[in-house]
Every structure is written in structure tokens, then in C-alpha cells.
Amino acid sequence: MSEMDTAPGIAARCRADGGLTEATLGELRGELGYRKLGRWVLVEIADRLRATGLGFFPPERLDAELNTEPRQSQTVWIYVRDGGSRARVIDAVLQPDSCDVRAELDAIGTKHLEALTPQQRLDRIRDIINA
């Protein structure tokens, strides 16, 4: 099974929604073919989303140690981890040890290009071209 096949429905929906979508745990459970939503199904959902290049928040919803009684109506936000500005900001908040948090957050909504790193400037240009 290829990475893109691990969660095809939610990945396609997320991309169709512009890289950010909300899904219930029930929807995600169903996509994996499970009939019941147990704590350990959460681990598999999280692994499959990551394998598909997707991130999610709040992270505790898919953490079996923290969400000891998952409900199918609970929701998570799912985003495409494509290196775009949205993904970089979400990752900066969720995984602050793996990036330059200050630079990412300073770049939000800034109208002053001098506040952006060269890579952020290029990313802005790509965002404009691809819009």
C-alpha cells in the first residue's frame, strides 16, 4: 500500500478544502474500515494521517493515553503538511522544538518583507503564483 493510499478519502477532502479540513473520529474510523472506535484505533488513525502527509490538531484527540474514552463525534482538524505557510505555523505551535518559532510567528500577517527570511519570501511568491 502506498502512502497516498493510507487515508485517501480524508487526504482528498483536505486538499479539496484548501489544505485544512475538520473530521470526526467516526469518519476517520470508518475510512480505516473499523466498526468500533477504541483507544488503540486512535494510534492507527494518527499513524495513517502522518503517513499520508497530513497533520492534525488538537493532538490529544488521537493520543490513546490522553483520550481514554474516544467518541465518534469528537473532531480533529486535519491539514496538509506541504511546507506552506499554514503548515509551518501550525507545526511551529504543535512542535516548537523542531523549527524557528519566532520567525514563523513573526511572519504571520506581516506586511514588511524585511521581517521575512529569504525562504519565507520565496514561499510567499509561490503562494501568490499558485493562488
Side-chain angles (χ1 to χ4, degrees):
M1 180 180 292
S2 77
E3 284 187 4
M4 293 311 290
D5 292 336
T6 58
I10 197 62
R13 183 169 112 198
C14 189
R15 286 176 177 80
D17 287 349
L20 179 67
T21 197
E22 190 175 25
T24 66
L25 298 185
E27 290 174 294
L28 296 170
R29 175 210 66 211
E31 184 162 333
L32 294 180
Y34 290 106
R35 292 179 38 195
K36 296 189 177 204
L37 181 66
R39 289 177 57 202
W40 303 111
V41 172
L42 298 177
V43 173
E44 187 161 345
I45 291 170
D47 289 346
R48 295 272 184 106
L49 291 173
R50 287 185 197 105
T52 309
L54 302 173
F56 56 88
F57 63 93
E60 61 272 8
R61 289 275 163 78
L62 295 180
D63 186 323
E65 298 297 319
L66 299 174
N67 192 0
T68 58
E69 294 184 25
R71 300 284 179 245
Q72 65 181 4
S73 62
Q74 291 176 317
T75 61
V76 291
W77 284 95
I78 299 168
Y79 64 101
V80 177
R81 297 192 72 218
D82 59 0
S85 57
R86 177 187 294 137
R88 288 193 322 268
V89 169
I90 294 170
D91 286 342
V93 172
L94 295 177
Q95 303 166 24
D97 293 336
S98 63
C99 71
D100 183 351
V101 173
R102 184 177 305 279
E104 294 300 340
L105 298 181
D106 283 349
I108 296 175
T110 184
K111 301 215 184 300
H112 304 287
L113 289 178
E114 64 273 4
L116 301 175
T117 67
Q119 183 60 50
Q120 289 170 325
R121 290 178 193 181
L122 288 172
D123 290 342
R124 278 254 173 111
I125 292 167
R126 283 188 194 101
D127 289 344
I128 291 168
I129 292 171
N130 293 325

